Amino acid sequence: PSFSFIIFTYNSSDIVLRTLDHIKAAVDYFPVDCEIILVDNNSVDKTIEIVRDFIAEKNFEIRIVENPRQGLSYSRIEGVKFASKEFICFVDDDNFISENWIEVLTKIIETYNPDVIGCRTEGISNVMFPKWWSKYQNLYACGTRFKETGFLDNPLDKMWGAGFTARTKYLNPALLRMNL
């Protein structure tokens, strides 16, 4: 399979390097046919400057797309417009994917041939989480949501956008015709 990794940023100068380092580490660990598309949503900090420096320093190809329409949904749509690979993977600017993420995605695709793939996410912090965290972490798209198999058994189950992967041929028309 081939992948279009779409990263969304907004004033992410404090975390975008960690996100990019994790993506680069995953691509280096398990090289695949992929493209990296970074959609910036009107950042007014040094996010784009940091990304350009990363591209030059690491010799890592990233396509920067500027989206003037504010909002994550609009940025997802804008990123999808530029995606050219078989699968689209949404990576938010605060997602730090694991080194073997691409390998796991590839094995899932080769084994099950799915049209959509979700992922489990884990909250991380430099400080101790508050006492309420374990009860409400799902509101922040963190935690285990499904059975161990990862398959959705209930048609009302939903997958989070962060780490969401889908076949471009389905996602592209679905997102691009939405009136958000």
Side-chain angles (χ1 to χ4, degrees), residues 79-120:
V80 167
K81 289 178 185 176
F82 291 91
S84 66
K85 303 300 181 182
E86 182 182 7
F87 285 89
I88 291 173
C89 304
F90 292 142
V91 181
D92 294 346
D93 58 3
D94 60 351
N95 293 157
F96 308 136
I97 64 172
S98 62
E99 187 176 69
N100 70 337
W101 187 54
I102 298 170
E103 178 183 28
V104 170
L105 277 177
T106 301
K107 286 180 181 178
I108 289 170
I109 291 165
E110 290 172 346
T111 303
Y112 299 105
N113 194 31
D115 294 322
V116 296
I117 305 165
C119 71
R120 294 183 175 152

Side-chain angles (χ1 to χ4, degrees), residues 147-164:
K147 294 179 182 176
E148 291 176 12
T149 63
F151 291 101
L152 302 179
D153 296 323
N154 181 337
L156 299 178
D157 284 340
K158 295 177 179 78
M159 288 189 236
W160 293 314
F164 177 82

